[in-house]
Amino acid sequence: MKTVFLLLLGIIYLFLANAMEAILIKKVYFLIGITLVIVGAIRYIRAKYHTYKIMTELKIASEEQLKNIPHTHGIIASDRLHALLLNEQTKTLLLAEKEDWEAEVTKKEIYFNELYEVAIVEDGVIIARTSNGLFSESLLEEEENFLVEDDDIEDDDYEELEEVAHLALKMVVDNISAPIMEYVFLEQEDAISKEDDTYIEAMELCEQWFQKLSIIIKRHELERVPIRTWQ
C-alpha cells in the first residue's frame, strides 16, 4: 500500500511540475516527483522479487515432498501439486495431491490388481481405452463419449477436434466410494492446437502412462484366468 502511495504521489508531483511556470519550482517538483517514482518502483520490484523467491522455495519444497513418496516410476505435474506414482515393489498405484504448496499431501492408493480400466480422454472424448476383459461393461463408457469415425464428422466440427483444452488419464478402480480416478496432463482455459508443443509433450507423457497402466491391467487379467490342467 505504501508503495502505491509513493508511486501516485510521485506522479502527482510530476504533473504539478509540468503545470508550473516558475523554473525553480518546476525543477524542485520534478526532482521530488522522479525521486518518489524511483523509490516506489524499487520497493515494488523488491516486493515482487521477495514474493517470487518465497513462491519458488514453496514450489521446490512441494516437489521434494511428492518425490519423497516411495515409488519406482512417477510423474509430477508442472504446478508441483499433483503426482502420479507407481511402486512396483508394493504393487500400488498412487495419486498424490495438494490443495496448495503449503498444504499436506492427500493420497489415493490402489493395488495393481484393483485397476480395472484406463483411458485417454480429450475434452470428454475417449480416444484410447484398455479394460479388463473379465468385465463386460465399462463405467467410463457411460461417463465419456467415444471418438467417432472420421466419416461421421461434419466439416464444420472437424477443426474443433484439432484443438484440445483438457487431456487426462481416467482409471476405473475397485473403490466403491470413488471408482474413477483421474490424472490431468493438460488443462488450458482456451483450447490449443494439437500441433502445439505443449500438447505434443503432454500427449507423449499421457501415452507412456497409458501403456504402463494397460500392461498392469492385462498382466493381472492373465493372473486371474484359471489354469486348466491337462486331462
Side-chain angles (χ1 to χ4, degrees), residues 77-202:
S78 58
D79 61 8
R80 308 302 191 270
L81 297 176
H82 304 82
L84 179 60
L85 308 171
L86 286 178
N87 192 325
E88 292 180 292
Q89 296 176 350
T90 59
K91 294 186 176 181
T92 53
L93 169 68
L94 187 145
L95 265 72
E97 301 176 345
K98 301 180 68 175
E99 290 186 4
D100 55 60
W101 294 325
E102 297 181 278
E104 294 295 323
V105 178
T106 58
K107 303 174 185 177
K108 297 177 183 178
E109 192 170 4
I110 195 79
Y111 288 105
F112 285 174
N113 61 356
E114 296 174 339
L115 177 63
Y116 297 148
E117 188 174 356
V118 61
I120 299 176
V121 181
E122 287 184 346
D123 293 342
V125 177
I126 296 174
I127 64 170
R129 181 174 69 91
T130 299
S131 62
N132 190 307
L134 299 178
F135 296 88
S136 59
E137 296 183 357
S138 166
L139 288 178
L140 293 177
E141 286 183 23
E142 299 175 0
E143 185 179 75
E144 310 290 350
N145 298 316
F146 274 99
L147 182 65
V148 295
E149 297 296 330
D150 290 344
D151 294 340
D152 298 328
I153 301 175
E154 298 292 338
D155 291 340
D156 294 339
D157 296 333
Y158 187 77
E159 291 186 2
E160 295 181 7
L161 298 177
E162 294 302 315
E163 295 185 342
V164 176
H166 183 86
L167 173 65
L169 273 186
K170 284 202 171 184
M171 296 149 276
V172 177
V173 300
D174 188 0
N175 187 320
I176 295 176
S177 60
I180 296 178
M181 298 168 62
E182 180 183 40
Y183 183 82
V184 177
F185 285 85
L186 177 69
E187 186 73 65
Q188 300 283 329
E189 292 185 6
D190 299 317
I192 61 174
S193 169
K194 289 187 176 182
E195 296 180 357
D196 190 293
D197 289 342
T198 301
Y199 169 83
I200 293 172
E201 292 175 5

Side-chain angles (χ1 to χ4, degrees), residues 207-223:
E207 287 177 339
Q208 289 174 15
W209 278 87
F210 174 75
Q211 291 166 0
K212 292 178 191 292
L213 300 186
S214 294
I215 290 172
I216 290 171
I217 290 173
K218 291 305 178 181
R219 180 185 296 167
H220 286 278
E221 179 182 346
L222 291 172
E223 291 178 359

Side-chain angles (χ1 to χ4, degrees), residues 49-101:
Y49 174 76
H50 181 67
T51 301
Y52 172 78
K53 185 177 180 182
I54 291 176
M55 291 301 178
T56 300
E57 291 174 352
L58 290 173
K59 205 170 183 179
I60 293 173
S62 179
E63 181 177 8
E64 289 299 317
Q65 193 175 6
L66 293 172
K67 281 183 177 179
N68 288 334
I69 299 173
H71 65 279
T72 54
H73 301 276
I75 180 173
I76 298 176
S78 58
D79 61 8
R80 308 302 191 270
L81 297 176
H82 304 82
L84 179 60
L85 308 171
L86 286 178
N87 192 325
E88 292 180 292
Q89 296 176 350
T90 59
K91 294 186 176 181
T92 53
L93 169 68
L94 187 145
L95 265 72
E97 301 176 345
K98 301 180 68 175
E99 290 186 4
D100 55 60
W101 294 325

Side-chain angles (χ1 to χ4, degrees), residues 30-57:
F30 177 80
L31 288 174
I32 293 174
I34 199 68
T35 301
L36 290 172
V37 169
I38 291 173
V39 172
I42 292 173
R43 287 175 59 90
Y44 176 80
I45 293 171
R46 289 176 63 183
K48 281 293 182 181
Y49 174 76
H50 181 67
T51 301
Y52 172 78
K53 185 177 180 182
I54 291 176
M55 291 301 178
T56 300
E57 291 174 352

